[in-house]
Amino acid sequence: MRSGDLQKVLLVEDDPQVRYTMEVLAAQWATEVMACTNIRDAQARIKTEKFDLLVSDVRLPDGLGTELAVMAARQEPQMAILLVTGYAEEEKLDRARALGIDVLPKP
């Protein structure tokens, strides 16, 4: 997907500094960036709005971003999904990778 193709990005990140930095970056790719801090809010948005891209942290206050990614991939198969993690949780990421979800390690 080319950056010009993105209209709407859903960003799920609980760390305020990381979320702000990712919002600024994502705003360069898309016309609209919606940010959530937890899975519950992200699921509600996915059920009521269409997104071109979901970018989610893996560890969130109310669960794992991998579960959110799997739900989003099933509900909106055309949505691109990127998981971002600072942890090496290979077994938890394997399920997401099996669905074609990309994983980006945090530095």
Side-chain angles (χ1 to χ4, degrees):
M1 179 177 290
R2 297 183 318 265
S3 62
D5 294 339
L6 291 175
Q7 296 298 311
K8 205 167 181 183
V9 174
L10 177 60
L11 171 64
V12 188
E13 172 61 63
D14 59 317
D15 182 293
Q17 291 177 331
V18 174
R19 187 175 56 253
Y20 172 77
T21 301
M22 292 177 74
E23 279 183 277
V24 170
L25 178 62
Q28 296 175 23
W29 307 331
T31 56
E32 187 174 356
V33 178
M34 309 297 282
C36 296
T37 60
N38 59 59
I39 292 171
R40 184 196 57 203
D41 292 346
Q43 286 175 328
R45 292 241 180 183
I46 290 169
K47 288 178 182 175
T48 60
E49 301 177 52
K50 291 249 183 232
F51 294 94
D52 299 300
L53 174 65
L54 167 65
V55 179
S56 178
D57 191 7
V58 171
R59 287 194 179 183
L60 293 161
D62 57 345
L64 293 173
T66 52
E67 295 304 316
L68 173 64
V70 169
M71 181 278 300
R74 288 187 177 139
Q75 185 167 332
E76 296 291 337
Q78 77 287 352
M79 182 184 350
I81 301 172
L82 176 64
L83 290 172
V84 184
T85 184
Y87 302 94
E89 300 166 318
E90 288 301 318
E91 67 283 349
K92 293 177 183 170
L93 299 174
D94 285 342
R95 183 173 176 207
R97 285 188 181 114
L99 291 172
I101 296 168
D102 293 316
V103 179
L104 178 68
K106 288 181 185 176

